[in-house]
Amino acid sequence: TGTVLAAIKMLFLNYSMDEEYQVVMAYRNVIGDHLFSQMWEPHQTSAFLCAIGIRVYLAVTHTTTGIVIFLRVMGTIIHLGISVYCFKVMRRYLSPDYSFYLSLIYFNTIPKLIQIPEFGIMQVWFYTLSILFFMEYYHHESKRNKYLIFAGIVMSLEVLSYPSSIILFPFLQVMIMIMSGKRKWKDLFLFSGTCFLSGCIYLLCLLRNLSAEKLFRNIRNIVNSDSTH
């Protein structure tokens, strides 16, 4: 009951600076501002989930009134879905009760108390999913390669959510080397190749709107202008 009431409360109360920041980035993207061209925010690549939500909301309602509540509902549903999936995976290793309690703790853990798909909670979501997919991969004996591909995709989304998360990549490669045994080179290729392909697709999307020279120059300027991130 307390979990449900807390989730409902967060839909309607509080409005923080980072929440405003995320909504504005996404809205600017929706109305046509291009990443790394008209936009200079260091977290701009994390705006994709909110941008999807805003596009859907505007298409249905034709107004921005209530858009923050909609994004909070969207974030709550995503967070709940990952919590349920966490329970599904964890109960293979733990008792149902312990798996439920861990999943409940996860659902009640909200970075910065922001419920919309904001870069802080997105970083947690995609890292959690990558670990769960790895657990699924090493648990199944057959038809399991899809989980390595899923892990590579969500790792790419993790980096978009918070670019400095790329430091996790070599550690995940070391984990694969240790845990995959004789399959380690094949597994490394599948995981790393998925990450590389995802990155190439995203880069090609960016290059539709600006040249490579301008893109990398602007990235360098953004990094130099905000050393804290």
Side-chain angles (χ1 to χ4, degrees):
T1 303
T3 296
V4 174
L5 292 175
I8 293 173
K9 183 206 76 172
M10 291 187 66
L11 295 178
F12 301 102
L13 300 180
N14 194 26
Y15 191 56
S16 71
M17 180 175 66
D18 277 350
E19 192 170 21
E20 299 169 10
Y21 175 54
Q22 194 77 16
V23 172
V24 169
M25 283 193 299
Y27 185 73
R28 288 182 60 197
N29 188 238
V30 168
I31 63 174
D33 284 1
H34 297 306
L35 301 181
F36 301 107
S37 181
Q38 286 91 15
M39 296 179 64
W40 288 79
E41 295 84 355
H43 303 94
Q44 60 187 274
T45 56
S46 70
F48 61 94
L49 281 182
C50 277
I52 293 172
I54 289 174
R55 288 182 190 277
V56 171
Y57 189 82
L58 292 179
V60 174
T61 67
H62 306 290
T63 179
T64 57
T65 301
I67 205 164
V68 173
I69 294 177
F70 175 77
L71 291 174
R72 289 177 177 182
V73 171
M74 175 181 168
T76 302
I77 292 172
I78 294 172
H79 198 55
L80 177 61
I82 296 174
S83 301
V84 171
Y85 184 55
C86 182
F87 170 74
K88 176 179 176 292
V89 174
M90 293 301 296
R91 68 179 179 178
R92 298 198 184 106
Y93 304 90
L94 301 171
S95 71
D97 286 345
Y98 283 132
S99 300
F100 175 75
Y101 294 143
L102 286 173
S103 301
L104 193 63
I105 290 171
Y106 180 83
F107 181 73
N108 283 281
T109 303
I110 309 293
K112 297 185 288 185
L113 298 178
I114 297 176
Q115 194 73 1
I116 71 167
E118 178 261 354
F119 56 86
I121 197 168
M122 288 167 62
Q123 184 183 18
V124 174
W125 287 343
F126 293 125
Y127 181 67
T128 301
L129 285 173
S130 68
I131 296 302
L132 292 175
F133 288 142
F134 275 117
M135 292 173 70
E136 292 270 53
Y137 175 73
Y138 289 114
H139 175 78
H140 290 279
E141 295 297 329
S142 62
K143 297 182 180 179
R144 61 181 190 167
N145 285 343
K146 64 181 179 181
Y147 293 111
L148 269 187
I149 295 173
F150 293 160
I153 292 172
V154 296
M155 181 61 203
S156 303
L157 296 176
E158 166 85 2
V159 174
L160 289 183
S161 300
Y162 209 95
S164 57
S165 294
I166 198 170
I167 63 174
L168 296 171
F169 182 68
F171 293 98
L172 292 176
Q173 289 184 308
V174 170
M175 182 191 73
I176 292 173
M177 293 282 287
I178 294 172
M179 297 188 65
S180 290
K182 295 179 180 179
R183 290 176 52 94
K184 61 185 178 183
W185 297 115
K186 180 180 178 181
D187 290 354
L188 271 176
F189 177 79
L190 189 56
F191 172 71
S192 303
T194 301
C195 293
F196 178 75
L197 180 60
S198 300
C200 288
I201 292 172
Y202 188 77
L203 181 61
L204 288 174
C205 291
L206 291 177
L207 292 177
R208 292 183 306 170
N209 302 310
L210 73 170
S211 67
E213 186 274 334
K214 186 176 181 181
L215 170 64
F216 292 112
R217 184 187 69 224
N218 289 352
I219 290 175
R220 184 174 62 252
N221 291 336
I222 291 170
V223 171
N224 291 337
S225 66
D226 191 341
S227 59
T228 59
H229 294 95

